[in-house]
Amino acid sequence: MMPFKKKFKQLEEADITEIERRIKANDPPYNAQFEYANNYICTSKYTIVSFLPKNLFEQLQRIANAYFLGLLILQLIPAISSLTPLTTFIPLVAVASFSAFKDALDDYRRHRSDDIVNNRKAMVLRDGKMVEEVWQKVVVGDIIKMENNHFVAADLLLLSTSEPNSLCYIETAELDGETNLKVRQALPETAEMGDDIGQFTQFDGEIICEAPNNRLPKFEGKLNWKGETYALDNDKILLRGCVLRNTHWCYGLVVFSGHESKLMMNCGKTVFKRTNIDRLMNALIIGIFIFLLSMCLICTIACGIWESIFAGDKFQIYLPWESYIPGTILGTKEGSVTEGATVLSMLTFFSYIIVLNTVVPISLYVSVEIIRMGNSLLINWDSKMYYEPKDDPAKARTTALNEELGQIEYIFSDKTGTLTQNIMEFRKASINGKSYGDYLDASGTAIEITEFEGSDSADSVFHYDTDSTPKCDFSENKYSEDSFSYYDRRVPDGIRRQDSHMCDFFKLLALCHTVMPEEKEGKLEYQAQSPDEGALVSAARNFGFVFKSRTPNTITIDNCGKEEVYDLLAILDFDNVRKRMSVIVRRNGKVQLWCKGADSVIYERLDKSCRELQELTTHHLNEFAQEGLRTLCLAVKDIPDSFYAQWAVKYKEASIAMENREEKMNECYEEIETNLMLMGATAIEDKLQDGVPDAIANLAMAGIKIWVLTGDKQETAINIGYSCRLLTDDMEEVFIIDEEDYDKVKQQMEDALKAIDDIKKGKKTETEDHVDSVRFENGGMPTGTATYNSADDVVSLEGTSDFALVINGHSLAHCLKPELEMTLLELGCSCKAVICCRVTPLQKALVVDLVKRNKKSITLAIGDGANDVSMIKTAHIGVGISGQEGMQAVLSSDYSFSQFRYLERLLLVHGRWSYLRMCKFLKFFFYKNFAFTLCHFWYAFFCGFSAQTLFDPYFISFYNVMYSSLPVLALGLFDQDVNDYYSTRYPKLYHPGLVNLLFNKRVFALSVIEGILSSIVLFFIPYGALYEEVTPWGKDQSDIQSFGVVVASILVVAVNLRCALDTSYWTGFNHFVIWGSIIYYFCFILAMYASVFNYTYQGVAFAVFSSANFWLTLILTNVILLVPVVAYRFYITSIKASLTDRIRMKQRLTKSKSRSRDLHIRRTSTFRRSARSMRSGYAFAHQQGFAELITSGTNMRDRASSVQLKSPVTLTNVKKFDGHSANSSKPKNGTAAQASHPNSLETYETGGKILYTEKL
């Protein structure tokens, strides 16, 4: 198979013959000759034609299915088959049909989703007029008209728009998960066509561009039109999956369509995924088949010896050999007895393959599929994973991977839209050396803020007035937003007093930005290029400083009811190097520069008189950063008119320079942005999704390692890392790999590894056996030692130190090269947290594949955008977040839900249960079938190895279908060791799945050994009891039919009682199927062996069941089989109780009391202090380029200068946290309080090491 990297590289480089693409507008015949892909998409695996062969091929990848097919072929040969071929043919067809139906149902859902997309409507230019056409009929070269809020149908070259200067605004959430708007601009030459259909009909431009590829941020091409050539880049391209926003209409020419669009090129192909247990089963089936061949070989040799040496041939008087056997007394085939015995023994070999084939019954795979489907339905029906605001339940989009959810070791997560909501809220501020944002009591002490949110419980009682912290009243402000929440009354009170520092602070927020206001239905709304800016401008609006309108030369604000117009002299734009932006404005003849940016760059440019204020602000910044808030510093400068006049001349010359324009403009910026006066700092919260920190903490305690792969900038990703507790201030070191040169990147990584090694060597080794010393951190391993015992198998958990790794995309490109990838893997696995920033979709997939290939661990990828699709498909399990960011990730995923926090329940509850159930099912299934099948083997020594069966043929057919199937199915569908509450309360219960503790080759071997021993007991105890037995009437009762019924009856009772012992969670259905199966067997066999059916076993059942010897034998055999198991388990639970045993005992003692929910959410105050934390909270998610658009008037149109009504802008939201988790997440002394995590096992994990003992 082609290596993963090579496949992706070919995809990126478009490994088709097309090197460049040529397109002529309005010329279908010319474009048709290149056979470009149409706009039809298909994310499904099958078509009507390919379904049967492709699905059969996939099913035959299961060795067991191939084994049964071979068995069926053998049964078609009358000479060797003692059973009808229907006994294998019907189950095989049933299994294949059931699996095919399930696969077809899964694929049908994909087809249905594809049909919805393919049949969306678009306006297409055809024959000189615009006609409505479905998306799948759009072809390369078509001209499409789109309107506001419409999805882009294909990758288009933007031709013209309704906006000034042919700008249009797009939302790329479905591509990259970002909801902030991006700007695209058409060529001025094509923009002149406007909305004129006639001109578009005459448009005959030719596009020469790159071949289809998956590079989302890059496009290269040129347009030849009217004898001129125009360069084309990504700023002139609208990609499929984008949504047109704030633009009445636009026209575009289709460049890439369907599967050749960049969105679909990033999706990759749907792959066939198999679980770890499936792969193990394939190996076990080979082992079982070898074992089967060994038994058949023994019977073959023994048959030859019996027939040739021990006078077996003398029995031909009663049962002649077949006519084709040499030496038969029928005289039809000449030959010696030895020759006949040889031929007969060879035929016996194949006969015993058929007789003993039930060691791997075909019903095993039917049962596995039923269990998987049932567990998938339980996921779909889980009300605790249902997101009511969007009416979105969790969905298991595949039914084949459930138990894999219980073995996840690595989670690869996107950030934006997956961990966060991409919604910013203004939380706190430092103004003139004072910190604001906490709710203060009468004595001025900061107390916790309680936000009322309601509860999930239907019977909850809410108290709105008494328990919720009162919010500040903004009703006097007609522009205020109902969704804005603020609790510190000192700020609005200070503004009412006209406090100059506060007023200037919020005036800066209303002036220094690139936000565009817009009036919609009489309401003022803001369109921000980044949610950070939107949150700051919205905060200023609610505090009375309302940004109302702008022109290329003016900014109009409402200052507490008074309109103020500022002349906009210049915007010194933001970029990733400057990390700041400034505006220069004039009002009443006074020129001022207002600046905001990262603390590091602002501090360098402050006036010396700000030293004391800088120290106070720095202290506040550390507090804000400790809370995970994103911070900016604000500063102002008064500029003399004479200085500004001189500077303006230099600035104009720099802005029109033809050489080194950027450097000259930066020199101008540096010249004027000096001697600033510090005003304070803002702190906004990048809202995490509800429950993310607690979910991550629980998953980490379970031993799961979490890597965050995001396209966001480094500062933003690090800030979120602290917010969601991936990063903490008590870490030994956070290594940042950010060089662009290969050698420097290599050196950084080697230095990091050396530093880790030095720190580990320098630490004193402390061994604490008490469970309280075991602290599970993110990264999955405890800082201490713990063991999980399974019989004699001890698996040690070795702790990792607290390190973190942050790596940039350009550095990651070097790290993923073959020479460095193992170094990256070693470094990443040495760290507790790994965050990769500025990564491309391809890099995300390569990182996942790197771990998947080399760690041999089960991986899970979770994301919400099209840029996450490649890693979702690469991982063993892909999870899609179905949110506001589009459905591409969901369509490519195996599981989907609306909130990241549901991942905790998916893995720790459903995943663990599914793994536990499947392991129990497989162990029991192999046990009961070896116990059943080996009885035939022991009987072979008493029937001359003639391949005669011990049991009634109907019993052989019904054993795995009617007598023992339902109890084990109930075990696989409903069993649980502990309930869902304790599964999440004690996440270390997840550990056995990480190390394959519950079902592996050793466990399988023990099950087989137990089955073999049980078969010996089942055969020889009744054999001894019935040996030479006679009835009270003197009749012989030791015939083969009676003996077979006795063994069969004891077998049915024994395996069902054994299933009862394995059942941990009893339901009414379990009782019904276990006891019902036993009763049903006796009733059915009595009826079937009655005289009415005239069957060969007529009367045998009644005769056997009326014998006291039978019932005593049944009791004795079951006691011998079950008492040792009960005694062993009693010893284990009493002397070496496992973690599960202890928690089950606690569950029984507490009668499974449900966890109560706090109805209020506590947002911790800034009373949390950390003298240690010196990290910057700067993480401004802004992009360069908007300043030029504003000052040039390029993006201006008539906008409302005033609005009379309140207008809510949906930039803020009420934060919802579980009160329990909020309390648990409150750090002490500036560190994350992980030792006192609510999921710790301090009370119940006592008495030494943690033990996990699996029962036999």
Side-chain angles (χ1 to χ4, degrees):
M1 180 179 291
M2 187 181 300
F4 182 85
K5 283 189 175 182
K6 189 173 180 181
K7 288 194 292 183
F8 263 95
K9 186 175 181 181
Q10 287 185 348
L11 178 63
E12 184 179 23
E13 308 254 338
D15 61 331
I16 50 179
T17 55
E18 185 178 359
I19 299 176
E20 66 178 15
R21 172 158 292 200
R22 291 179 174 269
I23 306 166
K24 284 189 178 179
N26 296 312
D27 193 347
Y30 176 83
N31 298 325
Q33 67 177 322
F34 299 107
E35 298 182 351
Y36 297 138
N38 57 29
N39 208 36
Y40 176 82
I41 65 157
C42 179
T43 61
S44 57
K45 292 198 296 185
Y46 310 110
T47 64
I48 294 177
V49 176
S50 68
F51 176 75
L52 188 60
K54 193 171 182 179
N55 188 262
L56 284 175
F57 174 75
E58 289 178 352
Q59 291 201 49
L60 289 176
Q61 286 184 341
R62 283 181 174 169
I63 294 179
N65 286 345
Y67 161 72
F68 290 125
L69 181 61
L71 184 67
L72 176 61
I73 295 172
L74 287 179
Q75 286 185 306
L76 293 174
I77 305 173
I80 63 174
S81 178
S82 58
L83 297 174
T84 172
L86 292 177
T87 59
T88 300
F89 177 76
I90 294 176
L92 181 61
V93 171
V95 170
S97 300
F98 183 83
S99 298
F101 172 77
K102 179 178 65 66
D103 292 338
L105 186 62
D106 290 342
D107 212 52
Y108 169 73
R109 297 191 184 103
R110 297 188 185 98
H111 275 288
R112 190 168 57 180
S113 299
D114 292 342
D115 288 341
I116 293 173
V117 174
N118 287 326
N119 289 295
R120 285 176 178 170
K121 305 295 184 181
M123 299 301 296
V124 184
L125 181 62
R126 296 279 168 80
D127 299 326
K129 58 184 179 180
M130 302 302 299
V131 297
E132 190 175 68
E133 197 68 271
V134 294
W135 278 21
Q136 60 184 332
K137 292 186 178 181
V138 172
V139 297
V140 172
D142 280 346
I143 293 177
I144 296 178
K145 179 181 180 180
M146 291 171 298
E147 296 180 349
N148 195 33
N149 297 326
H150 281 191
F151 277 94
V152 179
D155 292 354
L156 310 175
L157 169 65
L158 185 62
L159 298 177
S160 70
T161 77
S162 59
E163 303 305 289
N165 297 285
S166 268
L167 292 177
C168 76
Y169 300 89
I170 58 172
E171 182 182 287
T172 61
E174 194 159 329
L175 292 174
D176 53 23
E178 297 181 6
T179 54
N180 48 293
L181 301 184
K182 296 179 176 60
V183 179
R184 296 292 183 264
Q185 185 175 20
L187 289 168
E189 290 74 14
T190 61
E192 294 176 358
M193 293 187 286
D195 195 20
D196 189 339
I197 301 299
Q199 291 192 52
F200 282 117
T201 303
Q202 300 300 320
F203 179 64
D204 60 352
E206 181 184 21
I207 296 176
I208 303 174
C209 66
E210 62 189 15
N213 59 74
N214 67 347
R215 296 187 292 268
L216 290 173
K218 186 177 180 181
F219 180 84
E220 295 177 353
K222 59 183 179 181
L223 170 65
N224 297 325
W225 186 39
K226 295 182 178 179
E228 299 290 337
T229 299
Y230 307 95
L232 303 178
D233 56 24
N234 200 53
D235 290 336
K236 299 173 180 61
I237 299 296
L238 305 183
L239 298 182
R240 180 189 179 112
C242 297
V243 181
L244 194 66
R245 300 292 191 197
N246 300 334
T247 307
H248 292 307
W249 51 262
C250 74
Y251 287 85
L253 175 68
V254 177
V255 179
F256 302 127
S257 60
H259 284 284
E260 293 179 344
S261 63
K262 290 182 181 287
L263 172 68
M264 298 306 297
M265 293 287 282
N266 270 284
C267 290
K269 293 183 179 181
T270 302
V271 295
F272 178 64
K273 295 183 178 181
R274 291 184 296 165
T275 67
N276 192 41
I277 286 182
D278 274 339
R279 292 186 288 271
L280 175 61
M281 285 286 292
N282 279 346
L284 295 181
I285 293 299
I286 295 175
I288 292 174
F289 189 67
I290 294 172
F291 178 74
L292 173 62
L293 293 179
S294 301
M295 290 194 296
C296 294
L297 185 61
I298 292 172
C299 292
T300 298
I301 295 172
C303 177
I305 295 174
W306 168 260
E307 294 292 347
S308 61
I309 300 177
F310 291 100
D313 63 297
K314 302 300 189 293
F315 284 88
Q316 289 195 66
I317 299 173
Y318 307 101
L319 188 63
W321 289 346
E322 283 76 5
S323 59
Y324 49 81
I325 303 294
T328 177
I329 64 172
L330 297 177
T332 55
K333 184 78 171 178
E334 294 184 358
S336 64
V337 172
T338 304
E339 290 175 347
T342 302
V343 173
L344 195 61
S345 62
M346 292 179 63
L347 294 176
T348 301
F349 176 83
F350 295 102
S351 297
Y352 269 107
I353 285 181
I354 296 172
V355 171
L356 301 177
N357 79 87
T358 49
V359 287
V360 188
I362 197 166
S363 59
L364 169 66
Y365 286 92
V366 179
S367 302
V368 165
E369 296 299 337
I370 292 174
I371 290 171
R372 285 174 172 170
M373 178 170 284
N375 283 306
S376 296
L377 292 176
L378 292 176
I379 293 174
N380 295 343
W381 296 340
D382 190 346
S383 60
K384 294 182 180 179
M385 295 173 67
Y386 169 71
Y387 191 56
E388 187 174 0
K390 294 184 179 178
D391 188 27
D392 188 16
K395 295 184 182 67
R397 296 172 56 82
T398 180
T399 58
L401 303 173
N402 295 326
E403 64 270 18
E404 199 98 306
L405 292 171
Q407 298 182 278
I408 302 299
E409 187 171 354
Y410 286 89
I411 293 176
F412 298 90
S413 175
D414 180 40
K415 183 193 76 69
T416 306
T418 303
L419 299 177
T420 69
Q421 302 179 37
N422 205 26
I423 296 174
M424 307 296 174
E425 287 187 355
F426 181 85
R427 284 300 189 191
K428 297 184 179 179
S430 172
I431 305 175
N432 194 35
K434 294 182 179 180
S435 177
Y436 298 92
D438 284 314
Y439 181 76
L440 306 181
D441 60 14
S443 63
T445 303
I447 62 175
E448 288 184 332
I449 294 171
T450 305
E451 298 173 348
F452 178 78
E453 271 288 326
S455 172
D456 296 334
S457 303
D459 58 349
S460 298
V461 179
F462 306 118
H463 304 284
Y464 289 86
D465 300 324
T466 58
D467 295 336
S468 298
T469 303
K471 301 178 182 179
C472 295
D473 183 13
F474 298 106
S475 58
E476 297 178 359
N477 180 3
K478 63 181 180 180
Y479 295 104
S480 65
E481 304 165 276
D482 295 333
S483 58
F484 184 77
S485 300
Y486 204 74
Y487 299 89
D488 193 342
R489 291 193 178 93
R490 294 176 296 168
V491 177
D493 290 345
I495 293 173
R496 292 189 189 99
R497 296 194 309 268
Q498 291 297 302
D499 183 295
S500 60
H501 297 293
M502 285 190 179
C503 291
D504 287 345
F505 183 91
F506 288 103
K507 189 181 295 183
L508 185 151
L509 297 182
L511 292 172
C512 185
H513 56 78
T514 57
V515 172
M516 298 300 298
E518 188 171 25
E519 183 179 356
K520 288 187 177 180
E521 300 178 357
K523 297 180 180 180
L524 180 63
E525 295 187 3
Y526 295 146
Q527 295 297 339
Q529 194 269 338
S530 71
D532 308 65
E533 275 210 329
L536 294 176
V537 177
S538 177
R541 166 185 182 161
N542 285 280
F543 284 113
F545 297 83
V546 185
F547 168 58
K548 296 180 66 177
S549 65
R550 70 160 75 244
T551 70
N553 302 311
T554 64
I555 298 177
T556 302
I557 67 171
D558 184 297
N559 184 348
C560 299
K562 299 177 183 178
E563 186 174 285
E564 296 180 356
V565 179
Y566 290 79
D567 295 329
L568 180 60
L569 304 179
I571 297 181
L572 314 187
D573 200 9
F574 171 92
D575 65 38
N576 288 328
V577 177
R578 283 170 40 77
K579 296 184 179 181
R580 65 189 184 279
M581 73 165 293
S582 302
V583 295
I584 303 176
V585 297
R586 178 191 288 121
R587 186 169 186 269
N588 298 331
K590 184 178 181 181
V591 178
Q592 287 183 304
L593 179 144
W594 306 84
C595 181
K596 66 183 180 185
D599 53 320
S600 58
V601 296
I602 296 295
Y603 283 174
E604 294 173 355
R605 292 160 177 79
L606 292 179
D607 190 79
K608 294 181 180 180
S609 61
C610 298
R611 295 296 184 191
E612 184 177 351
L613 179 57
Q614 179 179 338
E615 291 182 6
L616 292 172
T617 304
T618 300
H619 177 65
H620 295 153
L621 285 172
N622 289 336
E623 292 176 348
F624 299 158
Q626 176 63 28
E627 296 180 57
L629 302 178
R630 303 162 67 133
T631 59
L632 287 176
C633 282
L634 311 184
V636 65
K637 176 182 179 180
D638 293 334
I639 303 175
D641 288 340
S642 58
F643 178 81
Y644 173 73
Q646 296 175 6
W647 180 86
V649 173
K650 296 179 182 177
Y651 177 71
K652 184 176 181 179
E653 291 176 352
S655 64
I656 61 175
M658 298 303 295
E659 295 182 358
N660 301 321
R661 178 185 300 178
E662 186 174 346
E663 290 79 0
K664 292 179 180 179
M665 293 185 70
N666 282 330
E667 290 177 4
C668 292
Y669 295 162
E670 292 291 339
E671 180 181 354
I672 201 168
E673 290 175 329
T674 56
N675 299 321
L676 303 177
M677 301 301 296
L678 182 63
M679 301 176 66
T682 62
I684 60 177
E685 179 185 15
D686 186 358
K687 282 184 65 89
L688 293 171
Q689 291 186 13
D690 294 343
V692 165
D694 292 326
I696 288 178
N698 246 15
L699 292 171
M701 289 181 69
I704 301 173
K705 306 170 184 64
I706 302 175
W707 292 27
V708 174
L709 312 177
T710 177
D712 277 343
K713 60 192 294 184
Q714 179 177 306
E715 293 88 349
T716 306
I718 292 176
N719 207 275
I720 290 298
Y722 280 101
S723 298
C724 65
R725 302 211 295 253
L726 272 175
L727 306 179
T728 59
D729 285 322
D730 60 349
M731 285 181 166
E732 292 286 348
E733 191 72 51
V734 177
F735 300 105
I736 297 179
I737 310 297
D738 58 358
E739 292 289 351
E740 298 189 14
D741 181 71
Y742 174 87
D743 294 329
K744 292 181 179 179
V745 169
K746 181 179 180 181
Q747 187 62 45
Q748 278 188 318
M749 295 176 66
E750 291 175 349
D751 291 345
L753 285 171
K754 185 176 183 300
I756 291 174
D757 188 57
D758 291 343
I759 292 174
K760 287 182 177 179
K761 287 181 179 178
K763 280 187 172 183
K764 292 182 179 179
T765 304
E766 297 181 2
T767 304
E768 298 179 7
D769 288 339
H770 195 273
V771 70
D772 288 346
S773 69
V774 180
R775 180 161 53 94
F776 273 69
E777 305 284 1
N778 182 34
M781 295 298 158
T783 57
T785 60
T787 61
Y788 291 76
N789 286 359
S790 176
D792 298 325
D793 181 30
V794 180
V795 182
S796 298
L797 301 178
E798 299 178 357
T800 60
S801 299
D802 293 350
F803 303 102
L805 173 66
V806 179
I807 183 167
N808 263 318
H810 47 74
S811 302
L812 188 61
H814 296 300
C815 295
L816 290 172
K817 293 179 179 178
E819 301 83 10
L820 284 184
E821 64 176 13
M822 297 310 297
T823 306
L824 170 65
L825 185 65
E826 181 184 358
L827 179 58
C829 294
S830 301
C831 294
K832 192 177 80 167
V834 178
I835 299 177
C836 301
C837 319
R838 292 295 189 192
V839 294
T840 65
L842 174 61
Q843 287 177 328
K844 288 184 178 183
L846 292 176
V847 170
V848 174
D849 184 64
L850 176 65
V851 176
K852 181 180 175 182
R853 282 185 291 110
N854 296 287
K855 296 299 291 183
K856 306 300 181 185
S857 302
I858 307 301
T859 58
L860 179 147
I862 180 169
D864 67 320
N867 58 337
D868 303 315
V869 169
S870 55
M871 76 168 180
I872 284 174
K873 289 190 173 183
T874 302
H876 292 97
I877 292 181
V879 177
I881 299 291
S882 52
Q884 58 183 346
E885 291 78 15
M887 296 294 291
Q888 284 300 317
V890 171
L891 293 176
S892 302
S893 67
D894 303 306
Y895 300 87
S896 67
F897 38 73
S898 287
Q899 297 286 294
F900 180 88
R901 69 177 185 271
Y902 296 152
L903 182 63
E904 174 191 3
R905 185 171 178 83
L906 181 69
L907 301 187
L908 301 188
V909 178
H910 291 287
R912 200 180 68 82
W913 281 351
S914 295
Y915 174 69
L916 172 73
R917 291 164 180 166
M918 186 60 70
C919 293
K920 276 192 170 186
F921 165 81
L922 292 174
K923 287 187 295 183
F924 180 76
F925 211 99
F926 285 120
Y927 156 75
K928 77 182 184 71
N929 280 283
F930 270 85
F932 164 60
T933 305
L934 267 293
C935 290
H936 290 296
F937 181 70
W938 308 128
Y939 181 62
F941 290 89
F942 295 87
C943 69
F945 306 97
S946 60
Q948 183 181 0
T949 59
L950 171 64
F951 303 119
D952 173 16
Y954 280 102
F955 178 82
I956 296 173
S957 299
F958 293 160
Y959 174 73
N960 281 306
V961 177
M962 298 167 61
Y963 304 146
S964 63
S965 60
L966 291 180
V968 74
L969 276 179
L971 181 75
L973 286 171
F974 304 116
D975 199 54
Q976 50 184 262
D977 51 355
V978 298
N979 61 25
D980 58 340
Y981 166 63
Y982 286 102
S983 293
T984 53
R985 180 75 171 82
Y986 301 109
K988 297 189 193 90
L989 288 168
Y990 190 81
H991 179 265
L994 297 178
V995 292
N996 289 320
L997 201 61
L998 300 186
F999 189 75
N1000 49 45
K1001 292 178 181 178
R1002 179 179 177 274
V1003 172
F1004 167 75
L1006 291 175
S1007 298
V1008 169
I1009 291 171
E1010 186 184 6
I1012 294 173
L1013 293 176
S1014 296
S1015 70
I1016 294 174
V1017 174
L1018 284 166
F1019 183 85
F1020 288 102
I1021 296 288
Y1023 179 82
L1026 269 67
Y1027 187 71
E1028 295 183 352
E1029 183 196 10
V1030 294
T1031 65
W1033 300 276
K1035 293 183 179 180
D1036 184 15
Q1037 201 172 5
S1038 58
D1039 60 282
I1040 179 59
Q1041 291 183 337
S1042 298
F1043 180 58
V1045 170
V1046 170
V1047 175
S1049 301
I1050 297 174
L1051 173 66
V1052 169
V1053 174
V1055 297
N1056 280 287
L1057 291 179
R1058 182 68 167 76
C1059 184
L1061 287 179
D1062 282 349
T1063 302
S1064 302
Y1065 181 70
W1066 285 86
T1067 65
F1069 186 74
N1070 291 88
H1071 283 287
F1072 175 77
V1073 297
I1074 290 176
W1075 313 124
S1077 293
I1078 296 174
I1079 296 171
Y1080 173 80
Y1081 165 76
F1082 284 101
C1083 294
F1084 180 83
I1085 203 168
L1086 279 171
M1088 186 176 179
Y1089 292 176
S1091 59
V1092 65
F1093 291 105
N1094 197 29
Y1095 185 51
T1096 54
Y1097 275 67
Q1098 177 179 331
V1100 174
F1102 181 80
V1104 169
F1105 297 161
S1106 62
S1107 168
N1109 191 14
F1110 163 74
W1111 296 106
L1112 292 174
T1113 303
L1114 184 147
I1115 294 172
L1116 175 63
T1117 306
N1118 279 283
V1119 167
I1120 294 173
L1121 287 174
L1122 300 178
V1123 167
V1125 177
V1126 174
Y1128 173 75
R1129 293 186 179 181
F1130 179 79
Y1131 168 78
I1132 290 297
T1133 54
S1134 300
I1135 307 302
K1136 296 182 179 180
S1138 68
L1139 184 61
T1140 302
D1141 295 329
R1142 296 178 185 182
I1143 295 173
R1144 288 189 66 199
M1145 178 60 69
K1146 174 178 171 57
Q1147 179 177 318
R1148 286 197 295 269
L1149 292 176
T1150 58
K1151 299 183 184 298
S1152 303
K1153 290 183 179 179
S1154 60
R1155 184 168 37 178
S1156 61
R1157 288 185 175 271
D1158 192 339
L1159 303 181
H1160 299 84
I1161 303 118
R1162 302 196 177 276
R1163 178 165 62 82
T1164 53
S1165 69
T1166 54
F1167 207 61
R1168 302 183 294 178
R1169 299 290 183 258
S1170 172
R1172 171 183 177 152
S1173 176
M1174 296 301 293
R1175 59 188 168 85
S1176 172
Y1178 167 71
F1180 194 50
H1182 200 62
Q1183 294 182 0
Q1184 183 179 2
F1186 261 57
E1188 184 179 352
L1189 294 176
I1190 291 172
T1191 54
S1192 65
T1194 303
N1195 62 342
M1196 297 297 175
R1197 59 175 168 179
D1198 294 334
R1199 298 180 184 272
S1201 60
S1202 64
V1203 181
Q1204 301 299 323
L1205 301 175
K1206 285 186 179 182
S1207 56
V1209 178
T1210 56
L1211 291 173
T1212 57
N1213 232 345
V1214 177
K1215 183 175 183 179
K1216 179 179 179 182
F1217 278 112
D1218 190 335
H1220 179 73
S1221 58
N1223 291 333
S1224 67
S1225 64
K1226 181 178 179 182
K1228 297 179 181 180
N1229 301 324
T1231 61
Q1234 292 157 339
S1236 60
H1237 193 278
N1239 293 334
S1240 62
L1241 289 173
E1242 297 161 355
T1243 305
Y1244 306 105
E1245 295 179 5
T1246 57
K1249 301 179 180 179
I1250 302 175
L1251 299 178
Y1252 191 97
T1253 305
E1254 180 51 30
K1255 307 174 184 67
L1256 182 63

